[in-house]
């Protein structure tokens, strides 16, 4: 398992419709393992194969407090409701935006062993499923932002040395 580089916008692989995976073999399982490691390293809750430069229909998801899993050739079976939520993306790291997503979804596909699965998603899992399947269709969350005023620049976290923070605190006392 290895962490792969995350492809950043405007790389064209992010705009291509990913190809169906005809058979789940060792190379696909390796891809899944690498995608899970890459997702964890990037502190994400989902990742699509195009985000690591592979134009295949495979996504991985990792919800808080749950084991990460993969869906190969995912397809929506059902979508219910609509809500507006804040979203970001590992491939568009400097921007966030407000987009409309479903309230719940049902997705079918294959697991890492090639067995058929169905996944029901609500809240964060629903959002991640829609976001990652969008990637497989060459769609980014910035394409779903209805107007420029719903798009915003993310502030980068400031890293402060512990000694600098302690000195600053002492100076204030």
């Amino acid at each position: 398992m290895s962490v792969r580089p995350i492809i950043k916008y405007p790389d064209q692989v992010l705009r291509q419709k990913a190809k169906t995976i005809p058979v789940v073999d060792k190379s696909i399982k390796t891809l899944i393992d690498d995608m899970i490691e890459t997702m964890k390293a990037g502190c994400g809750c989902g990742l699509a194969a195009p985000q690591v430069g592979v134009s295949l229909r495979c996504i991985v998801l990792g919800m808080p407090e749950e084991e990460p899993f993969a869906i190969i050739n995912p397809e929506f079976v059902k979508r219910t409701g609509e809500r507006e939520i804040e979203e970001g993306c590992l491939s568009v790291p400097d921007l966030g935006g407000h987009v409309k997503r479903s309230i719940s979804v049902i997705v079918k596909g294959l697991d890492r062993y090639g067995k058929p699965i169905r996944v029901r998603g609500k809240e964060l899992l629903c959002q991640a499923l829609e976001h990652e399947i969008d990637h497989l269709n060459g769609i980014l969350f910035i394409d779903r932002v209805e107007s420029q005023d719903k798009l915003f620049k993310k502030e980068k976290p400031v890293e402060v040395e512990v000694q600098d923070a302690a000195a600053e605190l002492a100076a204030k006392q």
Side-chain angles (χ1 to χ4, degrees):
M1 291 191 293
S2 62
V3 173
R4 297 188 186 195
I6 294 175
I7 303 301
K8 304 284 192 283
Y9 173 78
D11 193 296
Q12 284 306 297
V13 73
L14 297 172
R15 293 303 195 174
Q16 297 169 0
K17 184 166 181 168
K19 293 180 175 75
T20 299
I21 297 172
V23 63
V24 180
D25 59 16
K26 186 178 179 190
S27 69
I28 299 301
K29 291 176 184 174
T30 299
L31 173 65
I32 289 168
D33 291 340
D34 289 354
M35 287 173 61
I36 288 171
E37 287 303 307
T38 304
M39 175 186 67
K40 288 178 180 178
C43 299
C45 63
L47 195 70
Q51 291 181 275
V52 293
V54 180
S55 193
L56 292 174
R57 297 190 75 76
C58 180
I59 63 174
V60 296
L61 300 139
M63 298 296 102
E65 314 290 319
E66 293 183 22
E67 230 11 74
F69 64 97
I71 307 175
I72 299 163
N73 301 328
E75 295 176 41
F76 291 106
V77 174
K78 185 176 182 181
R79 292 176 166 183
T80 307
E82 186 178 80
R83 63 192 173 131
E84 187 172 286
I85 51 177
E86 189 175 300
E87 202 162 288
C89 180
L90 295 173
S91 291
V92 190
D94 297 334
L95 294 175
H98 295 274
V99 297
K100 290 186 178 173
R101 294 288 187 193
S102 301
I103 293 171
S104 66
V105 295
I106 300 173
V107 171
K108 69 177 182 176
L110 304 174
D111 68 10
R112 68 178 294 125
Y113 305 105
K115 305 287 183 218
I117 58 169
R118 281 186 180 241
V119 177
R120 294 178 188 273
K122 292 183 179 178
E123 299 175 1
L124 182 59
L125 179 56
C126 173
Q127 177 183 357
L129 284 162
E130 288 188 312
H131 180 104
E132 302 312 331
I133 292 171
D134 271 356
H135 273 298
L136 301 181
N137 294 317
I139 299 168
L140 300 174
F141 85 94
I142 56 176
D143 301 323
R144 299 235 181 249
V145 175
E146 291 180 348
S147 63
Q148 286 296 323
D149 63 324
K150 294 191 178 201
L151 194 63
F152 57 88
K153 192 161 180 70
K154 285 185 178 177
E155 290 185 31
K156 295 190 185 216
V158 178
E159 292 184 24
V160 178
E161 291 290 327
V162 174
Q163 289 177 333
D164 293 344
E168 188 176 318
L169 184 59
K172 288 181 181 179
Q173 292 178 348

